[in-house]
Amino acid sequence: MQPKVCVVGAGIAGAGAAHAIGESADVTVFETDTVGGRMISGHRNGCVYDYGANYVDPPDGRVEERIRSVAGEELVETTGDVWIFDGDGEIEEGRPNQGPKLTGRNGIDRIVRAFLDASGATIREHTHVEHLARTPDGWRVSAGKEEVEYDALVVTPPTWDLFADADWEADVRETLVAARQRQSYRTIDSVALHYPFEVDVPYYGLVNTDKEHAVGWLSRESSKPGHVPDGEEILIVQLSPAWSAGRPDATPEQAADSAAEHAAALLGDDRLADPDWWDHEHFTHALPGDGINPALFEYALGHDLGLAGDWLAGTGRTHAALETGLDAGRSLAGRL
Ligand SMILES: Cc1cc2nc3c(=O)[nH]c(=O)nc-3n(C[C@H](O)[C@H](O)[C@H](O)COP(=O)(O)OP(=O)(O)OC[C@H]3O[C@@H](n4cnc5c(N)ncnc54)[C@H](O)[C@@H]3O)c2cc1C
């Protein structure tokens, strides 16, 4: 009989792990919400918009080729460059020769879906993993109404509660929980603003470089082939971690109003203060500030446990999270 592996989380790290394990095991991926995690896309009135991660920027040709080989049919390249602005809203050209910025024609979440589809794993969306228990031969996983034994486990979420609550008598559990509790994460309110007209500016995105502005990132979904019909625009406005963490009780309406007002001021166009519809997501765990001791990855493997996620990489980049998933999957597959 094939060994059984459980993957917690269907973000890009979990998808990478499932893909690397492939046919070496019978893999089930549990996801509280829907496939994609922070690579989340919205679909409304004929528009597609990426309001978590905005694009994937592979750091080198090897990583780019890996992504293209799995998700090639889904991929489109964003046109235009990223420019910069400061706390006073002064906009300047960004650095030249910026590399490719990839997303899916039907949303960035399709890249995650492509890795999962190619893996052959069983995907259980809307099924939260509630509890983990170490057994003599592997792990018992409680998810939904089920309790199932697995030979190995991959854990990807950016929170530590699964380890804190696990029935697992091992020093490495406490070390892991302590290391993760020390980790910092930036919080971001992200808003998609729709307009029934085009926004004519010479860049795709704007990033605030001095961290002094209430907006950290602003970009145009019309720069992505297939995302916005001609004659319309969707702006993605990510409010800064200072704004977002400083207003934990802000309603989605307040975040959307603030995003629209800042977009109007930054781009010098009053019409932008009044979108005809909007969408919003509050990411408490948006971007990790640091990683954890990589030795924990090796210790965990000795307990039939793969660790993956941007929290392990210590950087909030999709390609880095993917690499951690692929590493965890390969390492576990070699031990099954
Ligand atoms: C606003 C924003 C903008 C960003 N912009 C970019 C960008 O432009 N480019 C870039 O490269 N990166 C960007 N990032 C970072 C990037 O999105 C992340 O680094 C990456 O997506 C993390 O992937 P992951 O698989 O590690 O975690 P996640 O995507 O968070 O996946 C973890 C999954 O686990 C699920 N889960 C949690 N607990 C459980 C449980 N108990 N049971 C089952 N499932 C569970 C969650 O629902 C989630 O789907 C951005 C992030 C944010 C929030």
Side-chain angles (χ1 to χ4, degrees):
M1 212 169 68
Q2 263 202 320
K4 287 167 68 176
V5 178
C6 168
V7 176
V8 184
I12 191 68
H19 187 262
I21 297 169
E23 292 178 356
S24 323
D26 177 1
V27 180
T28 303
V29 182
F30 288 102
E31 168 55 51
T32 302
D33 199 344
T34 52
V35 164
R38 278 168 278 162
M39 290 173 73
I40 186 175
S41 309
H43 299 263
R44 185 162 163 182
N45 298 349
C47 299
V48 181
Y49 48 100
D50 303 324
Y51 58 128
N54 206 259
Y55 60 86
V56 180
D57 53 341
D60 56 46
R62 186 183 54 91
V63 175
E64 182 177 349
E65 179 45 37
R66 197 193 323 281
I67 295 169
R68 286 192 184 280
S69 69
V70 176
E73 288 182 13
E74 303 284 346
L75 295 179
V76 288
E77 277 192 38
T78 300
T79 56
D81 280 335
V82 176
W83 288 21
I84 59 177
F85 66 101
D86 65 13
D88 295 326
E90 290 295 325
I91 296 173
E92 284 177 42
E93 269 187 64
R95 63 182 167 76
N97 306 321
Q98 300 177 5
K101 301 177 187 64
L102 309 175
T103 183
R105 180 176 292 277
N106 277 309
I108 199 165
D109 58 347
R110 297 303 164 103
I111 299 176
V112 183
R113 178 73 71 180
F115 274 88
L116 286 171
D117 285 349
S119 76
T122 302
I123 317 302
R124 300 282 306 278
E125 291 180 281
H126 306 293
T127 310
H128 186 66
V129 172
E130 274 129 33
H131 192 255
L132 304 174
R134 182 76 167 127
T135 64
D137 303 319
W139 291 88
R140 189 179 320 110
V141 176
S142 310
K145 293 195 172 80
E146 299 164 22
E147 230 182 50
V148 178
E149 306 233 343
Y150 292 89
D151 299 287
L153 178 67
V154 180
V155 176
T156 72
T159 47
W160 60 77
D161 49 334
L162 276 177
F163 292 123
D165 299 341
D167 289 335
W168 177 23
E169 298 301 325
D171 291 348
V172 64
R173 185 189 75 88
E174 281 162 33
T175 313
L176 191 52
V177 171
R180 299 211 52 193
Q181 282 175 331
R182 278 196 300 273
Q183 276 192 303
S184 62
Y185 254 92
R186 277 168 279 164
T187 296
I188 295 178
D189 277 274
S190 179
V191 183
L193 304 166
H194 178 269
Y195 302 97
F197 51 82
E198 290 179 8
V199 174
D200 186 21
V201 291
Y203 42 79
Y204 141 62
L206 289 176
V207 64
N208 175 222
T209 42
D210 62 7
K211 316 283 182 219
E212 296 286 334
H213 203 281
V215 172
W217 168 263
L218 181 152
S219 56
R220 298 187 302 128
E221 286 293 306
S222 64
S223 298
K224 298 173 176 177
H227 278 219
V228 183
D230 287 348
E232 301 178 29
E233 184 59 277
I234 291 183
L235 295 183
I236 300 294
V237 178
Q238 294 170 8
L239 292 159
S240 71
W243 191 100
S244 306
R247 292 168 181 76
D249 299 325
T251 62
E253 287 77 11
Q254 286 166 334
D257 283 351
S258 184
E261 280 164 23
H262 283 298
L266 196 54
L267 273 57
D269 183 341
D270 290 344
R271 299 175 304 164
L272 301 178
D274 190 22
D276 60 349
W277 56 262
W278 53 267
D279 201 351
H280 164 264
E281 184 76 30
H282 175 80
F283 296 94
T284 307
H285 292 90
L287 305 170
D290 46 11
I292 63 164
N293 183 346
L296 280 169
F297 179 86
E298 295 297 330
Y299 287 132
L301 283 177
H303 295 261
D304 306 311
L305 171 63
L307 302 177
D310 64 353
W311 58 272
L312 189 70
T315 177
R317 302 311 292 171
T318 51
H319 59 78
L322 171 63
E323 292 297 312
T324 65
L326 293 168
D327 277 354
R330 277 191 219 105
S331 305
L332 278 182
R335 290 167 163 262
L336 290 168

